[in-house]
Amino acid sequence: MKVFGFSLIELIIVLSIIGILSIISMTGFKFFLQNTRSEVLSSQLMRAIHLARNEAISRHEKIILCGSRDEIICSSEWQMGFIVKTHNKVVYHFQNFLQKGILHWRSFPMDKQQLEFLVSGYPSFENGSFWFCPPAAVNPDWAIVMNKSGRTRIAYAEKDGKIRDDKGVAFGC
């Protein structure tokens, strides 16, 4: 039987090829989408750190950058979003649309769940690192390392797939 000049077998073969190609491309697309979302999160976090540091300098007051679930109150859950605030007012909030995976923060020497920038632009006491672990990952996608002066850099995986801090210790998920 011919339909529009094609036999039924030809249509089945073409549809099968289209189905196989779409399955292959969807797998690649999922990886691309996850990777893009992860990069957006790192860019947002870098922007939030720079904004908090600049606000502390320009406002001449201590500014806090912290994780937040509700865009009002600080929490230790950075993966839901984060806020830049003074002691009584939220200056800016960042939503994390990714919300899959875990965003970790580790500060040194004091283990604080937030970043505080002084009027000089320096962090209050700590330097530290953020790192993002996608769902079911062994190694993080990226890490943001902040030194004692408040300057940041993004670190990506080395050849072995691990990201290490300045002391050579690998970040884990």
Side-chain angles (χ1 to χ4, degrees), residues 15-58:
L15 289 176
S16 298
I17 292 171
I18 290 172
I20 291 169
L21 290 176
S22 63
I23 289 172
I24 291 170
S25 66
M26 289 304 286
T27 305
F29 183 71
K30 280 184 180 180
F31 174 76
F32 173 75
L33 189 60
Q34 175 66 28
N35 192 34
T36 302
R37 286 181 176 169
S38 176
E39 291 298 318
V40 167
L41 178 61
S42 71
S43 296
Q44 274 189 333
L45 188 54
M46 285 290 280
R47 183 172 169 231
I49 293 168
H50 292 141
L51 178 71
R53 188 169 188 245
N54 290 336
E55 286 292 320
I57 294 168
S58 63

Side-chain angles (χ1 to χ4, degrees), residues 44-45 48-49 51-52 63-75 77-78 80-86 88-96 113-117 130:
Q44 274 189 333
L45 188 54
I49 293 168
L51 178 71
I63 297 290
I64 297 169
L65 171 64
C66 58
S68 178
R69 293 184 65 121
D70 59 4
E71 301 172 4
I72 299 169
I73 300 172
C74 288
S75 73
E77 297 180 20
W78 289 86
M80 297 301 286
F82 25 94
I83 56 175
V84 175
K85 62 180 254 171
T86 63
N88 62 356
K89 179 183 172 190
V90 174
V91 177
Y92 200 86
H93 65 276
F94 293 83
Q95 291 179 321
N96 177 12
Q113 294 300 315
Q114 61 189 23
L115 277 156
E116 297 175 0
F117 287 95
F130 288 96

Side-chain angles (χ1 to χ4, degrees), residues 145-165:
V145 181
M146 187 179 72
N147 66 18
K148 291 180 183 179
S149 68
R151 303 250 181 202
T152 56
R153 66 177 173 84
I154 296 180
Y156 294 100
E158 297 171 1
K159 291 179 183 176
D160 62 356
K162 297 185 188 259
I163 302 173
R164 291 182 173 75
D165 63 10

Side-chain angles (χ1 to χ4, degrees), residues 117-150:
F117 287 95
L118 303 174
V119 297
S120 62
Y122 288 105
S124 181
F125 292 104
E126 67 279 341
N127 59 336
S129 302
F130 288 96
W131 67 98
F132 176 70
C133 296
V138 176
N139 295 315
D141 277 357
W142 49 263
I144 296 176
V145 181
M146 187 179 72
N147 66 18
K148 291 180 183 179
S149 68

